[in-house]
Each structure stands twice: as structure tokens, then as C-alpha cells.
């Protein structure tokens, strides 16, 4: 059974930083595409960042230059370093995996088949 477990969320002030982690277990083969999505209250789930097994990355325009996605293949862990946080970054954050790295180019939630339970990030002004 594939499981994704996020950690590292919490509450910070504007300008602060958080580092989200996602431990991925139970995968019978290489994970070709991993991503972070977020969902704000009354909004749809949007892609934040993604990384494929060749370490090509995607970032939403709203987080470019502030967020960094990385992976530790040996530990099957995905990270999202979030700096210069803004109140508009407040959301539930989810890690997810997709079976083809093509989905990492322009991530859409419907292309990702495995999801974590989500973790809350709150940025106060």
C-alpha cells in the first residue's frame, strides 16, 4: 500500500520559513513525478511545485524564487522549503505522486494518483 505522510507545517509570521517533508512508502517501483499542491478555503487544489526522477522542476509563478522543491531518493522523502512566506500562502498543503514524469511539466491534480493527508500552513500578517 502506497502511503504519503506530510510533516513540517504550522504557523509563522509574514516573511518566515517552513520546510515541509513527505515520506513516501510502499511504492513498488521508481516514483517518476512528485509534487506539492495546496488548497485554500473555498478554492480548488493548485499545483505549487513538482520534481521528476531526473530532478527537473516546476514551480507555480506565485512561489518562484521563494519555494524550493527537492527529493532525497535514498530516504524516499520529498521536501518543500518555503521562504519569505506571505499570508496568501496559507493553505492545506498536500504531497502527491504521479506515474509519469510528463505530469511534472504542468502538474494537474487529476494526474496524480496518490496523496498524503495534507498539512496546514498558516501565515499571519
Amino acid at each position: 500500500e502506497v502511503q504519503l505522510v506530510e510533516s513540517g507545517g504550522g504557523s509563522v509570521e509574514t516573511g518566515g520559513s517552513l520546510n515541509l517533508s513527505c515520506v513516501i512508502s510502499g511504492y513498488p517501483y521508481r516514483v517518476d513525478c512528485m509534487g506539492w499542491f495546496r488548497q485554500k478555503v473555498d478554492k480548488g487544489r493548485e499545483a505549487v511545485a513538482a520534481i521528476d526522477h531526473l530532478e527537473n522542476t516546476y514551480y507555480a509563478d506565485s512561489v518562484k524564487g521563494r519555494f524550493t522543491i527537492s527529493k532525497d531518493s535514498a530516504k524516499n522523502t520529498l521536501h518543500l522549503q518555503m521562504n519569505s512566506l506571505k499570508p496568501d500562502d496559507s493553505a492545506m498543503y498536500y504531497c502527491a505522486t504521479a506515474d509519469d514524469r510528463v505530469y511534472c511539466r504542468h502538474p494537474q491534480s487529476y494526474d496524480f494518483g496518490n496523496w498524503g493527508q495534507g498539512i496546514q500552513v498558516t501565515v499571519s500578517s
Side-chain angles (χ1 to χ4, degrees), residues 8 18 20 26 31-32 34 43 50 52 61 64-65 69 73 84 86 119 121-122 124:
L18 285 172
L20 303 184
V31 182
D32 280 357
M34 296 170 279
K43 299 286 186 181
D52 68 19
D61 287 343
K64 282 180 181 176
I69 190 170
S73 298
S84 302
K86 308 173 182 179
I119 194 162
V121 170
T122 302
S124 59

Side-chain angles (χ1 to χ4, degrees), residues 2-85:
V2 175
Q3 286 191 321
L4 288 74
V5 180
E6 301 101 336
S7 62
S11 298
V12 296
E13 295 183 347
T14 296
S17 297
L18 285 172
N19 190 341
L20 303 184
S21 295
C22 174
V23 177
I24 302 168
S25 62
Y27 239 87
Y29 43 82
R30 181 187 66 202
V31 182
D32 280 357
C33 174
M34 296 170 279
W36 289 97
F37 291 76
R38 66 186 180 188
Q39 188 164 14
K40 304 174 185 179
V41 176
D42 297 330
K43 299 286 186 181
R45 199 167 289 189
E46 62 174 351
V48 175
I51 186 167
D52 68 19
H53 70 92
L54 298 177
E55 305 209 10
N56 297 301
T57 57
Y58 161 90
Y59 292 97
D61 287 343
S62 59
V63 306
K64 282 180 181 176
R66 300 189 297 122
F67 291 12
T68 302
I69 190 170
S70 62
K71 64 184 180 72
D72 184 337
S73 298
K75 297 181 179 179
N76 292 325
T77 303
L78 181 69
H79 298 283
L80 185 68
Q81 177 65 43
M82 304 187 295
N83 298 327
S84 302
L85 282 161

